[in-house]
Amino acid sequence: MESNKASLLTPAPLRVRSRDGRSTLNPQSKPRPRAGVGGLRRQQKNMSAIGSFYVISDNKRAGMVEAAEAQFKALRKKRLGFLPPKLPLNPDPFWQFVRSNAKELDDYPFSGYLLMDVEQLAPNALSSKDQVGIDLSRVLQSSFVSYLPRDAEEAVAILDSADFSEDAIKAFFVEEGREHEVPDIVAPIQQSAEHLKKWLGEVCEGQTGILAIG
């Protein structure tokens, strides 16, 4: 019970890896069926995840997907015809592209899994039909959501209209059978919603926002 709380409220420990070009994506994980986390539920509450947000220029959209495809191929390329590649990839095509072409916004201080709870309280805030997020989720087999400016505005409106009061959050966690996480979880959920709105507000015309959870 106590370890569950620690996993949710402790900052994700792997963020340095993405900045060093080391992929935090698990090539053995199952692919997500859509660009969003609405259908993604926490399977193991003891696990942690990184929540990050990037902004890229629209002229880099295709290049980001191509870099993801390059990572996918590199992770499956055999050494000497039968040995798996050395991990972490060095260089990692995808994270090398991200470092060179994307702006990472301020750090998210909690486990990325809390953002999935935000999605449950504000359905479709973490969902988009934009193709970049769909392609990244498919290729990298992790959860990505991409937001054009209009998508970001719609997501902010969803978050603004959602009920993130203490009573609403407590009721949700009781319904989920996770009442042991209350009351410690209330403030982090509220802060996560505000943090996500701040990220989304940074997406301007000519740019695409990329939410990554993995």
Side-chain angles (χ1 to χ4, degrees):
M1 183 178 300
E2 293 303 320
S3 63
N4 291 347
K5 290 183 180 180
S7 172
L8 290 170
L9 304 182
T10 302
L14 300 177
R15 179 173 296 278
V16 174
R17 292 191 177 184
S18 66
R19 289 177 176 170
D20 290 342
R22 300 181 181 183
S23 174
T24 60
L25 306 177
N26 180 1
Q28 303 302 319
S29 63
K30 295 181 179 179
R32 307 302 180 198
R34 57 198 290 270
V37 298
L40 181 58
R41 303 296 293 154
R42 181 162 49 248
Q43 298 298 319
Q44 294 176 289
K45 293 180 182 179
N46 290 333
M47 294 176 62
S48 185
I50 295 174
S52 303
F53 200 95
Y54 304 88
V55 175
I56 61 170
S57 298
D58 283 347
N59 60 6
K60 302 294 184 181
R61 287 165 57 91
M64 194 170 197
V65 175
E66 290 171 1
E69 291 171 342
Q71 186 204 71
F72 179 89
K73 293 177 181 177
L75 285 170
R76 284 151 184 80
K77 185 177 181 180
K78 300 295 185 181
R79 292 182 294 124
L80 303 177
F82 65 95
L83 292 174
K86 291 182 178 180
L87 297 178
L89 294 176
N90 186 22
D92 183 311
F94 179 69
W95 291 113
Q96 188 175 52
F97 180 91
V98 170
R99 290 199 311 273
S100 300
N101 298 280
K103 175 186 177 183
E104 183 176 10
L105 302 188
D106 58 308
D107 287 355
Y108 174 66
F110 305 111
S111 166
Y113 286 123
L114 282 187
L115 293 171
M116 298 174 194
D117 291 324
V118 170
E119 163 72 9
Q120 299 302 309
L121 289 158
N124 296 320
L126 275 69
S127 183
S128 170
K129 295 180 180 179
D130 184 60
Q131 193 62 42
V132 170
I134 294 171
D135 289 342
L136 292 177
S137 296
R138 171 181 54 82
V139 175
L140 296 178
Q141 302 182 6
S142 190
S143 294
F144 289 84
V145 188
S146 58
Y147 298 88
L148 295 172
R150 64 176 179 274
D151 302 319
E153 291 175 2
E154 291 175 1
V156 169
I158 290 171
L159 291 165
D160 281 339
S161 63
D163 186 356
F164 287 104
S165 66
E166 182 175 352
D167 288 344
I169 294 172
K170 286 181 178 179
F172 166 72
F173 276 85
V174 169
E175 184 179 354
E176 291 276 293
R178 297 161 58 192
E179 56 271 12
H180 57 278
E181 297 179 42
V182 179
D184 293 354
I185 201 71
V186 172
I189 289 289
Q190 293 170 334
Q191 293 170 26
S192 294
E194 291 302 315
H195 203 113
L196 181 57
K197 286 196 292 184
K198 181 181 177 182
W199 276 345
L200 292 166
E202 294 291 321
V203 184
C204 303
E205 288 300 325
Q207 297 179 329
T208 300
I210 308 287
L211 173 63
I213 302 177

